[in-house]
């Protein structure tokens, strides 16, 4: 009685950790698969021409069951938790329907010792053999490694590799800002320095006042010589060019009958009668006719 009390106090089911329970389930499933594989190999060795195979399926409640088939035909309508070879006792191949205490399994005989199919499917109890201790150790090591990986994943939200990538992105962003600021400063300096130079160049290369023939330039503008080729008012054939030349000459002579005065600024030329833009000496000019 004292020993039983000690066992109950130290090993109650409620104190089994989730990790231990997971290890037990994985070990039990692995043992069942291994025993089923060994039973199938035994049948294929004694009856190589009978075509013994196993087929797994899921029930509605999520349980995985196994059928034993011979030449594509199932030996029973229902499936079993596993298929075992009762090598230590009867030598039969048994389909396990339930588990008892310890390593005891309850099931029905599917194949006799000599390889013949059992016709009556009689009930039997068999001792379930566990694999070698080395396999158990491997399973425990695999489960422990899995638990360690989960723990590391939960504690290390950002790994060292992620930290390196974040640091690289930060350094590249800072370098990009520095380069962008340098380019902005350089462009601003070029603008401040280049604007006076451009003004001086325009003043130095502008044609002189004496070279400007008001009537000639006005005729050229009225003829449409400065218009682009795709402009709708651009004269294209000989007739339209002749009419434009005549109209430009008449308009210019009539406009200049009362006399005119040429006054030049940077971009404005004052003459007589109306306002007109013209292109002279490489620059566009505004002509105001008083």
């Amino acid at each position: 009685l004292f020993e039983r009390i000690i066992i109950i106090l130290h090993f109650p089911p409620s104190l089994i950790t989730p990790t231990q329970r997971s290890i037990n389930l994985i070990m039990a499933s692995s043992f069942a698969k291994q025993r089923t594989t060994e039973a199938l190999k035994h049948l294929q060795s004694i009856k190589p021409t009978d075509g013994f195979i196993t087929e797994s399926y899921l029930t509605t409640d999520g349980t995985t069951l196994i059928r034993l088939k011979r030449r594509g035909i199932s030996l029973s309508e229902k499936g079993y938790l596993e298929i075992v070879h009762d090598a230590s006792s009867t030598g039969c191949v048994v389909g396990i329907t339930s588990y008892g205490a310890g390593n005891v399994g309850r099931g029905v005989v599917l194949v006799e010792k000599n390889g013949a199919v059992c016709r009556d499917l009689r009930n039997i109890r068999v001792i379930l053999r566990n694999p070698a201790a080395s396999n158990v150790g491997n399973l425990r090591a695999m489960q422990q490694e899995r638990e360690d990986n989960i723990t590391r994943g939960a504690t290390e939200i950002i790994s060292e590799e992620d930290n390196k990538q974040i640091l690289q992105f930060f350094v590249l962003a800072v370098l990009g800002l520095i380069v962008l600021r340098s380019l902005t400063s350089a462009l601003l300096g070029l603008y401040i320095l280049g604007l006076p130079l451009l003004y001086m160049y325009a003043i130095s290369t502008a044609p002189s006042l004496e070279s400007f023939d008001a009537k000639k330039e006005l005729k050229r503008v009225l003829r449409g010589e400065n218009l682009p080729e795709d402009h709708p008012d651009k004269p294209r054939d000989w007739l339209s060019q002749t009419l434009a030349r005549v109209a430009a000459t008449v308009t210019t002579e009539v406009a200049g009958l009362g006399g005119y005065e040429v006054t030049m600024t940077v971009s404005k030329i004052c003459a007589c009668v109306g306002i007109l833009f013209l292109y002279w000496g490489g620059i566009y000019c505004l002509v105001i006719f008083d």
Side-chain angles (χ1 to χ4, degrees), residues 2 77 84 109 115 133 138 162 174 179 183 189 249 264:
F2 181 75
E77 295 181 357
V84 300
V109 176
N138 292 336
D162 294 336
V174 172
V179 172
L183 289 176
T249 301
M264 265 191 199

Side-chain angles (χ1 to χ4, degrees), residues 20 105 111 126 187 204 226 231 254 258:
Q20 184 63 39
V111 181
V126 297
L187 291 176
S204 62
N226 63 316
H231 197 279
V254 171

Side-chain angles (χ1 to χ4, degrees), residues 158-177:
I158 301 178
S159 63
E160 294 183 1
E161 188 66 25
D162 294 336
N163 287 331
K164 291 180 180 179
Q165 292 182 357
I166 293 174
L167 183 60
Q168 290 176 357
F169 291 153
F170 178 76
V171 171
L172 291 177
V174 172
L175 292 177
L177 290 175

Side-chain angles (χ1 to χ4, degrees), residues 3-275:
E3 292 179 355
R4 291 180 183 177
I5 292 175
I6 293 299
I7 292 174
I8 292 173
L9 289 176
H10 284 80
F11 301 99
S14 60
L15 293 182
I16 298 178
T17 62
T19 301
Q20 184 63 39
R21 187 178 295 109
S22 176
I23 291 175
N24 293 339
L25 292 175
I26 293 175
M27 290 172 59
S29 176
S30 177
F31 296 162
K33 290 180 180 179
Q34 184 171 348
R35 287 191 291 263
T36 300
T37 301
E38 291 177 352
L40 181 61
K41 289 181 179 180
H42 168 71
L43 290 175
Q44 291 173 348
S45 64
I46 63 174
K47 291 290 183 177
T49 60
D50 281 13
F52 282 106
I53 59 172
T54 57
E55 180 186 66
S56 301
Y57 68 95
L58 282 175
T59 62
T60 56
D61 59 354
T63 304
T64 302
L65 298 180
I66 302 174
R67 290 193 185 99
L68 180 63
K69 290 186 175 183
R70 177 176 177 269
R71 295 174 182 172
I73 301 175
S74 179
L75 300 186
S76 61
E77 295 181 357
K78 63 179 182 179
Y80 303 97
L81 299 174
E82 60 177 295
I83 308 296
V84 300
H85 176 216
D86 188 17
S88 60
S89 179
T90 62
C92 302
V93 174
V94 181
I96 301 299
T97 57
S98 63
Y99 298 106
N103 293 334
V104 177
R106 298 184 180 88
V108 295
V109 176
L110 299 178
V111 181
E112 301 290 354
K113 180 179 181 179
N114 59 0
V117 176
C118 182
R119 301 301 178 184
D120 54 359
L121 298 178
R122 62 184 181 274
N123 295 325
I124 190 175
R125 296 177 62 184
V126 297
I127 303 298
L128 302 176
R129 298 183 300 104
N130 291 336
S134 60
N135 292 338
V136 177
N138 292 336
L139 287 173
R140 291 183 181 273
M142 291 171 58
Q143 181 63 21
Q144 185 63 39
E145 182 179 359
R146 179 184 176 188
E147 295 294 333
D148 293 341
N149 291 336
I150 294 175
T151 303
R152 284 195 298 269
T155 54
E156 298 180 3
I157 300 177
I158 301 178
S159 63
E160 294 183 1
E161 188 66 25
D162 294 336
N163 287 331
K164 291 180 180 179
Q165 292 182 357
I166 293 174
L167 183 60
Q168 290 176 357
F169 291 153
F170 178 76
V171 171
L172 291 177
V174 172
L175 292 177
L177 290 175
I178 294 174
V179 172
L180 181 61
R181 184 174 180 180
S182 301
L183 289 176
T184 304
S185 301
L187 291 176
L188 181 60
L190 289 176
Y191 176 78
I192 295 174
L193 182 62
L195 187 60
L197 295 177
L198 182 62
Y199 177 79
M200 295 301 296
Y201 174 78
I203 294 298
S204 62
T205 57
S208 63
L209 180 59
E210 291 77 13
S211 66
F212 180 72
D213 187 347
K215 287 187 176 182
K216 181 179 179 181
E217 298 298 333
L218 185 57
K219 289 179 183 179
R220 183 178 298 163
V221 171
L222 293 176
R223 287 198 303 267
E225 291 186 4
N226 63 316
L227 296 176
E229 294 296 331
D230 56 349
H231 197 279
D233 296 334
K234 178 78 173 180
R236 289 178 175 80
D237 53 10
W238 177 84
L239 180 60
S240 59
Q241 290 177 358
T242 302
L243 292 177
R245 187 178 296 107
V246 172
T249 301
V250 173
T251 302
T252 303
E253 295 299 333
V254 171
L257 288 177
Y260 59 89
E261 179 184 358
V262 178
T263 302
M264 265 191 199
T265 61
V266 175
S267 61
K268 183 175 73 173
I269 303 172
C270 297
C272 56
V273 189
I275 299 175

Side-chain angles (χ1 to χ4, degrees), residues 277-290:
F277 285 98
L278 61 87
Y279 187 78
W280 172 62
I283 58 175
Y284 282 97
C285 302
L286 175 63
V287 179
I288 301 177
F289 298 93
D290 297 329

